[in-house]
Amino acid sequence: DELEIKDCFLIGHSMGGYVALMFHKLFSEKLFGFSLFHSHPFADTDEIVNKRFREIEFVKKGKKELIAAINIPNAFATDNLYKYRASIEKTIQIAVQTKAKGIIANLYCMINRPDQTNILANSKKPFLYVLGKKDNYINFRTIIEKIIPPPKSEVYILNNSGHMGFIEEKDELEKVLINFISKNC
C-alpha cells in the first residue's frame, strides 16, 4: 500500500510459501499470480510438529548453533554441499545471529498454521509450483501426488536442487519465472 503497488506476482520460499498462501487468502485481489518454491499447503504432520518442539527446546537451551549446523546444510542437495559451501556458511552465520525469540516465534507459527490446501485448489490466479528433485525436506513426488493445483498452474522440478533452488539453480529458476509470468500474467 505504501508503495502504491496495485498487484504483484508473489513468490514464497519454504515458510514464505505459507505466508504467500495466507496473503492469497486475505488479499487475492492484489495478486496477478503467485508461486511456491520448495513449500506446500499442508499443515505440519505430528512428526514435523514434534521435530519443531525439539528445536524450540534446543533454542531455549542456547543451542541454536547446533540446529543451524544441521538444518542449513540439509537444505542443499547433498551433491551440492561442496559447491555451495560459502553460501552454507554465510546462511549458518545469519541463522546463529537471529534472536532466539524470533526463531521460537517462527517455529510456533509453522506448528500452528492451518492446512491451506483449499486456498491453492480454489485459486483462480496463475500458479507456478517449483520443487527440488533432491530436496531433503520436501519429497517432490509425495507433494505432487497430494496437491490439487488450480486451473492455471504449472509444476517445475529443479533436477539439481535441494531446498535452495534459488541458489542451487539460480539461472534456471530465473528463466522459468520469466517464462511463466510472461505467458500467464
Side-chain angles (χ1 to χ4, degrees):
D1 289 340
E2 186 175 315
L3 296 174
E4 298 180 18
I5 296 171
K6 302 291 183 228
D7 57 3
C8 68
F9 187 88
L10 186 61
I11 300 168
H13 172 259
S14 195
M15 182 179 175
Y18 313 148
V19 175
L21 286 166
M22 189 56 69
F23 185 92
H24 185 298
K25 178 180 179 179
L26 299 172
F27 309 108
S28 65
E29 73 282 357
K30 294 184 183 253
L31 295 176
F32 62 78
F34 69 112
S35 177
L36 300 184
F37 283 8
H38 312 290
S39 190
H40 59 76
F42 311 112
D44 280 349
T45 63
D46 290 342
E47 179 182 347
I48 298 293
V49 167
N50 290 333
K51 178 184 180 282
R52 294 198 202 283
F53 278 125
R54 284 191 305 273
E55 290 175 338
I56 288 168
E57 290 307 311
F58 268 90
V59 174
K60 286 180 178 178
K61 292 176 182 175
K63 297 180 180 181
K64 62 184 174 182
E65 294 85 3
L66 293 175
I67 296 169
I70 294 168
N71 288 356
I72 295 189
N74 278 341
F76 288 79
T78 304
D79 50 348
N80 286 337
L81 291 175
Y82 180 77
K83 181 178 182 180
Y84 293 106
R85 67 189 179 280
S87 293
I88 293 167
E89 285 303 317
K90 181 180 177 184
T91 307
I92 289 172
Q93 288 176 5
I94 292 168
V96 168
Q97 292 173 7
T98 303
K99 294 183 188 246
K101 185 177 178 180
I103 295 170
I104 292 168
N106 282 322
L107 288 166
Y108 276 122
C109 285
M110 288 188 286
I111 289 167
N112 293 312
R113 77 181 186 286
D115 184 280
Q116 300 183 84
T117 307
N118 287 336
I119 296 169
L120 181 59
N122 295 318
S123 177
K124 305 288 187 254
K125 306 292 181 179
F127 170 67
L128 175 63
Y129 203 8
V130 179
L131 296 160
K133 191 171 191 175
K134 300 175 181 182
D135 194 324
N136 294 315
Y137 292 115
I138 298 174
N139 183 306
F140 79 96
R141 285 188 181 100
T142 303
I143 295 298
I144 289 172
E145 291 171 5
K146 288 182 173 181
I147 67 161
I148 302 167
K152 295 180 184 178
S153 66
E154 289 182 25
V155 175
Y156 193 84
I157 306 299
L158 294 167
N159 289 314
N160 299 303
S161 289
H163 199 70
M164 304 294 276
F166 62 94
I167 295 173
E168 295 171 283
E169 290 186 81
K170 179 182 175 184
D171 294 339
E172 179 73 15
L173 189 53
E174 184 178 316
K175 289 176 193 170
V176 169
L177 270 171
I178 290 169
N179 182 48
F180 181 83
I181 293 170
S182 63
K183 279 191 325 191
N184 295 289
C185 304

